[in-house]
Amino acid sequence: MATVRIVQNIGLDDHATSTQTSTINETTAAASNSNIFVTGNWFASRSSTSGKEWELVDPFTALPPAAGGFCCDQIAMYEPSRDIWIWILQYIAHEDPAHPGVRNNVFRVAVSPGSDPSAFHWWDFAPISLNSEWRDMWFDYPDAATSANHLYATFNAFNAAGSWQRAFVFKFPLDSLRAGTSLGHQWWSTTTHGSLRLTQGATGSMFFASHNSGTTLRVHGWPDNSNTVGWFDVSVGPWSAGPYQSQGPDGKDWLAKRVDSRITGAWVSGTRAGFLWTAAARVGRPLPYAKGAVVDVTTQVLVEEPEIWNQESAFAFPAACPNAQGVIGVSLFMGGGPLHPSHVVGFRDGGDWRLAFTRQSTQGPDPGTWGDYVTCRQYHPEMSEWVASGYTLQGGGDRRAVEPQYVHFGVG
């Protein structure tokens, strides 16, 4: 039986994060050889020594300010085909003096070519730059993935009252990102489906999905060489979108306030695209668990419904990525019952999930909040292995006790 082989498992200390952490930490990680880049709420940190030493990269000051200043959400990626590091940052909405009455924020795509993520060039995008009518709108909740020739990024958009307005998908040429020249790009938007999740492992086409209803997924496809986004719907088995509950040994419910059914893990391998999300307890599943759906994008039919679940503890916030051989790696959290919130990594072995703890929290979160996403990526240059992000609480229950986790793992 195959097992999870942990190559590196590093908790980032206060020097690496300057305690700019949150119990909604949204950690992401990328690596190439000895270089590592990790982000979260509200820090970024890099290492050029395979994690032996870390340097804080303060997202508030490392790049020039934009909009109302740096906000929160970030994504770190490494794209080996162009040898570039990609850093996506979200900024605070504000009223732009150049556009009276316009309250927008921006997201920034920053790129650093070469082995060390240090010297970045960047581009900023605001809703009003896409449509002059979007005067009260801000981007939130990013996701990103690459295909053979493009970076894709998704965002939700809200108004000042906090009401969801639409979702976006952006498509950026990788060659232009590396060159740092004029960035020709495409974008697509929908007012019917939010929180679009992109598939890791894409090549000639990017796929992304959102819930269409309680038992239906809408799967979109955007070919690299096309301006057209297509879609199809697929029905899945019954599952519950809440309420969510999972109390740990100290009585704290780590899923009390934040978790929902947004798709947080997605991958494509060959003709099959898979999606994972957090489902609430139901008959046969006594606690929240990771619900999955795998579809054939050619025949547009459901192939299987893999699930990650346990009788005593809940699973939540799954991320996923295929390795070079098409094996699906995962990064997610497990907690409740005998466990405080813990970070787990693993992979799919036939019809089974092989999982291993990276670290367990010493207690649950005081505010009852956790999430909203982590990442799982291919490791470079050994693309049969993965890099994952996570976090735990060590020695306390508030944000200052959060320790992000960088994990490099493979099949044993």
Side-chain angles (χ1 to χ4, degrees), residues 139-158:
F139 295 119
D140 186 45
Y141 194 63
D143 185 35
T146 55
S147 64
N149 292 300
H150 292 87
L151 166 69
Y152 293 77
T154 65
F155 286 87
N156 286 327
F158 296 85

Side-chain angles (χ1 to χ4, degrees), residues 6-38:
I6 303 293
V7 181
Q8 281 189 295
N9 187 16
I10 301 171
L12 275 66
D13 61 16
D14 291 351
H15 171 76
T17 67
S18 192
T19 65
Q20 294 172 203
T21 47
S22 168
T23 60
I24 310 166
N25 206 48
E26 299 177 330
T27 49
T28 77
S32 175
N33 290 300
S34 61
N35 292 289
I36 307 170
F37 196 47
V38 177

Side-chain angles (χ1 to χ4, degrees), residues 267-297:
W267 72 89
V268 61
S269 180
T271 64
R272 294 187 173 186
F275 306 94
L276 289 170
W277 62 94
T278 308
R282 62 171 175 84
V283 175
R285 300 290 182 266
L287 291 162
Y289 63 102
K291 170 72 174 176
V294 179
V295 302
D296 190 302
V297 296

Side-chain angles (χ1 to χ4, degrees), residues 223-309:
D224 253 21
N225 60 0
S226 173
N227 298 334
T228 303
V229 177
W231 59 268
F232 62 91
D233 290 338
V234 60
S235 296
V236 301
W239 56 278
S240 173
Y244 296 86
Q245 186 177 24
S246 179
Q247 292 183 343
D250 55 5
K252 296 177 182 177
D253 189 345
W254 67 293
L255 300 181
K257 299 179 181 179
R258 190 74 184 184
V259 68
D260 56 37
S261 62
R262 289 177 291 187
I263 297 172
T264 54
W267 72 89
V268 61
S269 180
T271 64
R272 294 187 173 186
F275 306 94
L276 289 170
W277 62 94
T278 308
R282 62 171 175 84
V283 175
R285 300 290 182 266
L287 291 162
Y289 63 102
K291 170 72 174 176
V294 179
V295 302
D296 190 302
V297 296
T298 302
T299 61
Q300 301 182 358
V301 298
L302 181 72
V303 176
E304 57 178 336
E305 298 182 80
E307 297 177 348
I308 306 174
W309 68 283

Side-chain angles (χ1 to χ4, degrees), residues 20 24-26 28 37 39-44 58-76 86-94 103-110 122-127 137-144 153-159 162 164 166 168 170 195 197 258 262 372-373:
Q20 294 172 203
I24 310 166
N25 206 48
E26 299 177 330
T28 77
F37 196 47
T39 69
N41 283 341
W42 300 269
F43 74 94
D58 192 338
F60 291 91
T61 60
L63 300 175
F70 172 71
C71 167
C72 39
D73 295 352
Q74 303 174 77
I75 295 176
I86 300 168
W87 185 14
I88 297 175
L89 305 94
Q90 178 181 318
Y91 291 78
I92 298 170
H94 78 138
R103 185 171 179 80
N104 277 190
N105 74 340
V106 305
F107 74 87
R108 173 170 288 171
V109 179
W122 62 88
W123 301 262
D124 292 343
F125 300 88
M137 192 178 293
W138 52 277
F139 295 119
D140 186 45
Y141 194 63
D143 185 35
T154 65
F155 286 87
N156 286 327
F158 296 85
N159 63 16
W164 183 83
R166 58 180 60 237
F168 290 90
F170 292 84
S195 302
R197 184 60 47 168
R258 190 74 184 184
R262 289 177 291 187
D372 282 329
Y373 55 82

Side-chain angles (χ1 to χ4, degrees), residues 311-333:
Q311 289 280 2
E312 294 184 314
S313 299
F315 287 99
F317 306 106
C321 178
N323 69 2
Q325 290 73 41
V327 179
I328 309 307
V330 291
S331 173
L332 69 166
F333 295 104

